[in-house]
C-alpha cells in the first residue's frame, strides 16, 4: 500500500519535495492533498502537481482521514504551532529544517509526538543521501584511520533575500544554512555531545548573523569547524580528516552527489526532475521520503538516520552559538 502524503505549505521547498516524490514509484508514494493559507494558492499548487485535493487552511488538512504523513514546508518560524496542530491530531509529520527556532520549541514537538504516539522526523535531507550512508560505512571501517578533525563550509550570497536576513522570518546564516554544517559534524562523531562550543560571528543590522563560525571540541582531542555565511560563496564542502586519509564531500555538502576518499571520487547521480526545481539537486528529497516510508512500515516513531536526539543536540548547539554571538529571536523569550 502506498504512503499517502499531505503537503502543508505551497512554497518553493514544497514544490521541490513534490517533484522529488514523483521520481518514486506511485504504488509506494502518493500525494493526496495540499493545504495553503488560501484556497487559490492551494488549488494552483494542486494543479501543477496533479494533487486531487486542495485545502485553503491547515485545519482542513488535519481533518483529512486519508493521509498517513504530513510534510510541513512552511517557514520555520511557524514550525512549532503547525507541527503541534498535526501531531496533536494524531498525524505523523516530516518537518522541514530547521526543526524549530530553538531547543525549547523542539522539546514541545518531541513531547507531542510521544504523547500522541505518532512519527516525527526533521527533514534533514542530506542525512538520507546515499553519500552519507557511504560515509558512515567508511568511518565504521576506519577507512581514514582515527578521525581528528571535521571542516564544513556552507555559504552563499543571499543578502538580497528578505527571508534569510530578517529576524521576524527566522533569518541568519546559522539557522538558515549553518544547521547543515552542525548536523554533519554530529553525524561524523556519532551524535556525541561536544565538550565545548565556541562561536564567533558578525551581525546584520536586523540582528541576525551574516556569518558565523562554530568550533566544537569533542572527547579525544577531536574538533569540528562549522562555517556559514549569507554574504559570500564558500566552498560548500565537508571534509573529514583522519590519521591516514581524508574523506571529502566535494559536491555541495547539503545535497551531496560526489564523494572523494583519499583522492578517489565516486558519483551518486540523481534522477532528472519532471518539473523545474527551485533548489539544486532537489530530487534528492526523495531519500527522506523513502526513509519516512521505511519507518512507518516498521511502526517506528522516529528515524535512526536522523533521530530526535540528533535533532535536539543540533538545536542545543545552535542555541549556545547564537547566545555567544548575540542572536536573539522573539521565540527565545516566549
Amino acid at each position: 500500500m502506498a504512503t499517502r502524503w499531505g503537503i502543508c505549505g505551497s512554497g518553493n521547498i514544497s514544490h521541490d519535495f513534490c517533484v522529488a516524490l514523483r521520481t518514486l514509484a506511485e504504488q509506494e508514494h502518493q500525494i493526496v492533498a495540499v493545504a495553503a493559507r488560501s484556497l487559490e494558492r492551494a488549488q494552483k499548487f494542486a494543479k501543477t502537481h496533479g494533487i486531487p485535493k486542495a485545502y485553503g487552511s491547515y485545519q482542513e488538512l488535519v481533518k483529512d482521514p486519508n493521509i498517513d504523513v504530513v510534510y510541513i514546508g512552511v517557514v520555520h518560524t511557524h514550525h512549532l504551532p503547525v507541527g503541534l496542530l498535526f501531531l496533536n491530531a494524531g498525524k505523523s509529520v516530516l518537518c522541514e529544517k530547521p526543526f524549530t527556532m530553538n531547543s525549547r520549541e523542539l522539546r514541545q514537538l518531541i513531547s507531542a509526538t510521544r504523547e500522541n504516539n505518532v512519527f516525527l522526523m526533521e527533514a534533514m535531507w542530506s542525512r538520507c543521501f546515499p553519500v552519507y550512508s557511504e560515509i558512515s560505512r567508511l568511518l565504521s571501517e576506519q577507512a581514514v584511520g582515527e578521525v581528528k578533525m571535521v571542516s564544513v563550509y556552507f555559504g552563499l550570497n543571499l543578502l538580497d533575500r528578505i527571508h534569510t536576513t530578517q529576524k521576524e522570518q527566522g533569518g541568519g546564516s546559522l539557522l538558515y544554512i549553518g544547521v547543515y554544517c552542525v548536523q554533519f559534524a554530529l553525524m561524523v562523531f556519532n551524535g556525541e555531545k561536544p565538550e565545548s562550543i565556541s562561536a564567533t560571528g558578525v551581525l546584520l543590522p536586523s540582528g541576525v548573523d551574516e556569518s558565523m563560525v562554530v568550533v566544537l571540541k569533542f572527547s579525544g582531542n577531536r574538533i569540528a569547524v562549522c562555517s556559514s555565511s549569507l554574504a559570500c560563496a564558500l566552498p560548500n564542502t565537508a571534509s573529514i580528516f583522519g590519521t591516514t586519509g581524508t574523506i571529502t564531500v566535494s559536491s555541495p555538502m547539503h545535497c551531496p552527489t560526489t564523494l572523494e576518499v583519499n583522492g578517489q571520487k565516486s558519483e551518486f547521480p540523481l534522477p532528472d526532475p519532471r518539473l523545474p526545481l527551485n533548489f539544486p539537486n532537489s530530487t534528492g528529497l526523495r531519500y527522506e521520503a523513502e526513509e519516512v516510508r521505511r519507518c512507518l512500515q516498521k511502526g517506528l516513531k522516529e528515524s535512526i538516520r536522523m533521530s530526535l536526539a540528533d535533532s535536539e543536540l543540533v538545536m542545543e548547539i545552535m542555541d549556545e552559538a547564537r547566545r555567544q554571538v548575540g542572536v536573539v529571536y522573539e521565540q527565545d523569550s516566549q
Side-chain angles (χ1 to χ4, degrees):
M1 182 177 177
T3 298
R4 300 168 299 179
W5 289 89
I7 307 298
C8 178
S10 57
N12 289 343
I13 191 62
S14 293
H15 167 89
D16 284 12
F17 183 74
C18 289
V19 173
L21 280 177
R22 296 300 191 193
T23 68
L24 298 169
E26 189 174 354
Q27 62 267 30
E28 294 184 355
H29 296 270
Q30 294 179 5
I31 310 172
V32 299
V34 59
R37 288 175 293 179
S38 75
L39 181 59
E40 182 181 2
R41 285 171 59 91
Q43 288 174 333
K44 182 179 179 180
F45 190 94
K47 183 178 180 181
T48 298
H49 294 282
I51 302 172
K53 294 180 183 178
Y55 297 120
S57 72
Y58 304 151
Q59 288 77 11
E60 291 176 89
L61 187 62
V62 167
K63 296 176 183 178
D64 192 322
N66 299 312
I67 292 173
D68 299 312
V69 58
V70 175
Y71 169 80
I72 296 179
V74 302
V75 64
H76 47 277
T77 50
H78 297 297
H79 283 179
L80 175 63
V82 174
L84 289 176
L85 177 69
F86 291 107
L87 292 172
N88 288 332
K91 299 287 190 188
S92 293
V93 165
L94 173 65
C95 183
E96 257 309 325
K97 67 84 203 165
F99 225 151
T100 50
M101 293 295 293
N102 54 42
S103 56
R104 179 191 57 79
E105 287 193 343
L106 178 53
R107 285 191 289 270
Q108 291 183 63
L109 288 185
I110 293 174
S111 177
T113 191
R114 289 172 179 165
E115 288 176 4
N116 296 285
N117 197 33
V118 288
F119 175 84
L120 175 65
M121 175 179 154
E122 183 178 17
M124 189 62 69
W125 64 322
S126 46
R127 276 287 180 102
C128 302
F129 270 69
V131 166
Y132 275 41
S133 298
E134 181 64 8
I135 289 173
S136 295
R137 183 188 68 79
L138 290 167
L139 293 177
S140 68
E141 297 175 356
Q142 295 190 313
V144 292
E146 181 186 358
V147 174
K148 301 299 292 185
M149 181 173 285
V150 173
S151 180
V152 197
Y153 297 91
F154 194 179
L156 301 166
N157 189 339
L158 300 173
L159 294 180
D160 60 339
R161 302 187 185 185
I162 293 177
H163 63 281
T164 66
T165 59
Q166 295 304 306
K167 184 178 290 189
E168 294 77 13
Q169 298 196 42
S173 74
L174 182 63
L175 209 59
Y176 190 69
I177 56 179
V179 59
Y180 287 113
C181 304
V182 176
Q183 69 80 26
F184 183 89
L186 291 183
M187 180 199 71
V188 173
F189 292 126
N190 293 314
E192 179 182 326
K193 187 174 182 177
E195 293 181 343
S196 67
I197 302 167
S198 301
T200 188
V202 293
L203 304 186
L204 293 167
S206 62
V208 302
D209 52 301
E210 175 184 280
S211 301
M212 192 180 294
V213 176
V214 182
V215 179
L216 307 175
K217 181 182 178 183
F218 294 86
S219 63
N221 296 321
R222 299 169 299 158
I223 291 177
V225 181
C226 305
S227 306
S228 60
S229 180
L230 299 176
C232 58
L234 295 178
N236 297 343
T237 58
S239 296
I240 303 167
F241 302 97
T243 53
T244 61
T246 303
I247 299 172
T248 300
V249 179
S250 51
S251 58
M253 52 77 54
H254 60 292
C255 49
T257 57
T258 304
L259 184 66
E260 185 174 337
V261 184
N262 298 328
Q264 298 296 315
K265 284 189 177 182
S266 300
E267 300 291 338
F268 298 78
L270 293 168
D272 294 327
R274 69 175 185 87
L275 292 172
L277 296 168
N278 295 298
F279 305 104
N281 291 354
S282 278
T283 49
L285 291 165
R286 73 202 303 264
Y287 299 127
E288 65 185 18
E290 289 181 312
E291 173 66 4
V292 170
R293 175 175 168 81
R294 184 189 70 81
C295 292
L296 292 178
Q297 287 186 315
K298 291 187 174 182
L300 302 177
K301 304 308 176 187
E302 64 178 292
S303 166
I304 296 176
R305 285 176 182 258
M306 192 63 201
S307 71
L308 296 178
D310 284 344
S311 293
E312 187 172 7
L313 182 53
V314 168
M315 192 60 67
E316 289 174 353
I317 289 170
M318 294 198 299
D319 283 355
E320 174 58 20
R322 289 195 296 107
R323 186 194 67 78
Q324 293 182 23
V325 175
V327 179
V328 181
Y329 298 104
E330 178 185 354
Q331 292 83 354
D332 295 327
S333 59
Q334 292 178 352

